[in-house]
């Protein structure tokens, strides 16, 4: 596992915003992988409408695609102010809790955990956003590994080690399902880690 060091939070935010603008037209997500995400979410929904969040969605491709496959309301977040330029996108630092989302999400999806400067905190925030039946889906590839860690993508962990790291961080509080596929746009293996909270939310939780 690798964590690239920033001088400060301001350095982190400025870096992520700058790279977002430089890569605003680029899309990492692919339709084949997102179809797997949609299929897995729809299994959980059993016909219900969903509320879901795609964290780190840049130009909004992910939530727009999933909205065609999953009934309900799906939004995306990005730390850059460019989020205001795309439908159903919100400018938000995905590490930070939002009371309006906590306990409300049927699913949270991201392929941007590698851009986190505090990955455990980000995961804690996303798990808190799930309702009792919700799932957190993390898309992970070798490009999210230690060899690719940089100032842009601070966090790197090998895909095969990812379940062990999650178990180390959250122990028996979560369960993990792994879906393996190949990204259609890059032709590389992809792992979807489908994570759920073990047990219902406690009374008094937001």
């Amino acid at each position: 596992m690798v964590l690239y060091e920033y001088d400060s939070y301001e350095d982190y935010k400025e870096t992520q915003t700058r790279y977002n603008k430089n890569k605003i037209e680029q899309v990492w997500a692919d339709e084949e992988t997102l179809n797997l995400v949609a299929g897995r979410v729809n299994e959980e929904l059993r016909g219900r409408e969903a509320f879901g969040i795609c964290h780190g969605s840049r130009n909004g491709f992910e939530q727009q695609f999933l909205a065609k496959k999953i009934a309900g309301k799906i939004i995306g977040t990005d730390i850059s102010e460019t989020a205001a330029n795309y439908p159903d996108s919100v400018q938000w630092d995905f590490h930070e809790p939002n009371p309006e989302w906590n306990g409300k999400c049927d699913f949270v999806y991201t392929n941007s955990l590698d851009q986190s400067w505090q990955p455990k905190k980000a995961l804690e925030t996303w798990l808190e956003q799930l309702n009792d039946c919700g799932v957190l889906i993390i898309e992970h590839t070798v490009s999210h590994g230690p060899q690719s860690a940089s100032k842009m993508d601070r966090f790197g962990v090998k895909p095969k080690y990812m379940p062990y790291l999650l178990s180390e961080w959250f122990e028996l509080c979560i369960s993990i399902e792994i879906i393996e596929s190949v990204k259609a746009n890059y032709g590389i293996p992809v792992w979807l880690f489908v994570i759920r909270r073990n047990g219902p939310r406690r009374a008094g939780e937001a």
Side-chain angles (χ1 to χ4, degrees):
M1 184 184 76
V2 171
L3 280 171
Y4 186 93
E5 294 297 327
Y6 286 97
D7 294 333
S8 64
Y9 174 74
E10 289 71 25
D11 182 28
Y12 166 73
K13 183 175 181 180
E14 187 279 328
T15 299
Q16 293 301 318
T17 300
R18 172 160 44 85
Y19 279 110
N20 167 282
K21 293 176 179 178
N22 289 343
K23 300 173 69 175
I24 197 67
E25 298 300 328
Q26 298 181 30
V27 176
W28 171 259
D30 65 289
E31 294 187 1
E32 186 167 327
T33 302
L34 290 178
N35 275 326
L36 290 174
V37 172
R40 187 64 186 80
V41 170
N42 281 323
E43 286 179 16
E44 296 291 329
L45 292 172
R46 301 179 184 275
R48 294 185 293 109
E49 289 196 350
F51 173 58
I53 301 177
C54 299
H55 283 304
S57 63
R58 192 179 296 160
N59 59 23
F61 173 82
E62 294 144 32
Q63 72 257 27
Q64 295 302 313
F65 182 88
L66 290 174
K68 298 175 184 176
K69 305 289 181 175
I70 302 169
K73 177 68 173 178
I74 302 172
I75 65 172
T77 72
D78 203 281
I79 200 169
S80 171
E81 72 274 10
T82 54
N85 299 330
Y86 300 98
D88 299 315
S89 287
V90 178
Q91 183 182 7
W92 194 264
D93 180 341
F94 60 42
H95 299 86
E96 299 304 319
N98 184 326
E100 294 183 4
W101 301 338
N102 281 358
K104 305 292 177 57
C105 293
D106 295 285
F107 76 94
V108 172
Y109 160 81
T110 190
N111 57 42
S112 300
L113 183 59
D114 58 332
Q115 295 171 15
S116 170
W117 79 315
Q118 295 179 315
K120 186 172 184 286
K121 179 180 179 181
L123 289 165
E124 289 170 343
T125 296
W126 302 342
L127 287 168
E128 284 300 305
Q129 291 169 350
L130 301 178
N131 60 32
D132 286 346
C133 299
V135 290
L136 166 61
I137 303 180
I138 300 173
E139 179 181 330
H140 201 84
T141 70
V142 292
S143 294
H144 296 82
Q147 75 281 1
S148 298
S150 65
K151 190 164 186 177
M152 178 180 69
D153 300 324
R154 177 180 188 257
F155 174 57
V157 58
K158 292 182 179 180
K160 295 294 186 181
Y161 180 65
M162 184 68 163
Y164 299 99
L165 180 62
L166 293 171
S167 296
E168 179 182 327
W169 281 349
F170 297 100
E171 299 181 336
L172 300 179
C173 294
I174 63 168
S175 57
I176 308 167
E177 171 191 350
I178 304 172
I179 302 173
E180 297 186 43
S181 186
V182 176
K183 284 185 71 67
N185 52 352
Y186 289 98
I188 60 175
V190 60
W191 289 259
L192 294 176
F193 297 104
V194 183
I195 306 165
R196 64 171 68 248
R197 295 160 52 111
N198 287 335
R201 300 178 65 82
R202 298 186 298 273
E205 285 187 317

